[in-house]
Amino acid sequence: MPHIALPPTGTAAAWREAARACLSARLPPEAVTWSRGAEAGVLFDEGEAPPPVKAGPIRVPAAFVEMAAQVCWHRDPQRFARLYAFLWRLRLKPALMEDAADPALVALRGMEKAVRRDIHKTHAFVRFREVGERDAPRRRFAAWFEPQHLTLEPSAPFFARRFGDMDWLIATPDLTARFEGGVLRLEEGAPRPELTADDAEELWRTYFRNIFNPARANPARMLAEMPRRYWANLPEAQTIPDLLREAEGRVRAMAEAAPKEAPFYARALAARREEAAAPAPAPAGGLAGLVREIEGCRRCPLWEGATRAVAGEGPVDAALALVGEQPGDGEDLGGRPFVGPAGQLLDGVLREAGIARERTYLTNAVKHFKYTLKGRRRIHQSPSGGEIAACRPWLLAELAELRPKLVVALGATAAAALTGRGEGILKRRGRIEEGPDGLPVLLTVHPSFLLRLPDPVLRETETERFREDLVAARTWLEAQQAA
Ligand code: URA
């Protein structure tokens, strides 16, 4: 009986080739056995070569090819045999791929899901430590990780894209990914290396402590997001037991402190009451008329120091509106929103998330640039609650003209202007809250927050989370359109 020993790297592509050969030789599933490298104690060269391909190309549904490409990274020793047995049936009955009740397909789909989840966790939970000289031409990092499945190979290209300007190594018990001088190599697995803690670890712990909200502590959900099996290699996970233990006391202390100190959102609400007293703009001429009125705005003193007001831009029928804080230096000079460094970052992430900027309406909660002068440089300053409130009628008027299906609030100022609540954006990000006129508002961070993060690894991780929030916005809209 032929035994096919697949290589430990390039396994998925090798399985596909071997399965095609077996299928064209009409080898039934019970006539062939499979293993990956030394997994079953079989070395590659001891395996029999797959039979030569006899027939022409074999047609299988693309959904099977995609599923198989994931399932091959599962640890189940029977995965290759299960895939081949399913493929054997699929060749006569292509509709099998749609049969959600077929037990073999259910099992394979479960394995596919587990692998996808493990790849996602690998992207999120690998923590690099700096190992080279800090002033070397290329900084060097290393990480130890224990994925649940054999997912380092399909995960590694993500790190090569994200950390292309560094040299790095990710060691796992099964495989090591080494990225040097822009070239990615996969080598044998290694025992856990000695990696000493560096500043990045303390940064991760501080960051995690800061985003942990004791009032929302939900150990079951936390475990689902960050399963215990990953904790050993996550510096911030060491803080979890203490944070959970202290949560109750912190919530009590927060409640006691609350009446004495008016939180930011209470001030924002008070400012909104003031705003109600001011006459709201009543523009004629649709969005274009509104833009002209915004350009002449004198509702607060910010216009005095700014070059011009920067209104929103984008198509009137945009289904998605993005709201930022206020124009920056470049926007104030250029007269368009999001054209400076934050805008360039936003453009890139929008592209990666599959959102076309030209189909999106982009605007800001505040329409004039607020800054202080440092020499000749204009340094950004956050707008006050009163300034946000003074500008809010413009934002509401823009949204009333557009009637988008979804609004994305970029950062705390936009979130306060749209929802009236200014508390911690990091704790609310990814949620959809109710905005003006019941508009759904998805909350996320501002791209400038990402630009300010000093640690490159943290910045990459947060950029990835930002991208995921924008993907969630696109998926939400697509689901609405399909309904
Ligand atoms: N930041 C913003 O919030 N808006 C812009 O238009 C540019 C930077």
Side-chain angles (χ1 to χ4, degrees), residues 284-349:
L287 205 51
L290 182 57
V291 167
R292 275 194 302 278
E293 297 219 19
I294 291 174
E295 283 163 358
C297 177
R298 301 287 183 268
R299 289 176 63 85
C300 80
L302 284 185
W303 69 273
E304 288 165 322
T307 311
R308 55 169 64 81
V310 179
E313 76 172 19
V316 271
D317 60 348
L320 179 66
L322 300 188
V323 180
E325 184 191 67
Q326 60 167 334
D329 190 68
E331 289 79 15
D332 171 81
L333 296 173
R336 293 180 53 211
F338 285 106
V339 291
Q344 281 156 24
L345 174 65
L346 179 65
D347 282 353
V349 181

Side-chain angles (χ1 to χ4, degrees), residues 102-159:
D102 184 88
L105 181 60
V106 171
L108 289 171
R109 285 289 192 205
M111 290 160 83
E112 178 192 13
K113 196 166 160 202
V115 167
R116 285 192 192 281
R117 183 174 151 84
D118 200 42
I119 293 174
H120 179 74
K121 296 290 177 208
T122 306
H123 292 162
F125 292 156
V126 161
R127 297 286 180 266
F128 288 103
R129 288 162 178 168
E130 185 144 20
V131 289
E133 299 296 318
R134 273 182 191 254
D135 45 6
R138 278 173 75 86
R139 292 174 70 188
R140 299 183 65 212
F141 293 82
W144 168 252
F145 194 67
E146 292 164 284
Q148 198 184 358
H149 297 287
L150 300 158
T151 42
L152 183 62
E153 182 172 341
S155 303
F158 163 87
F159 294 101

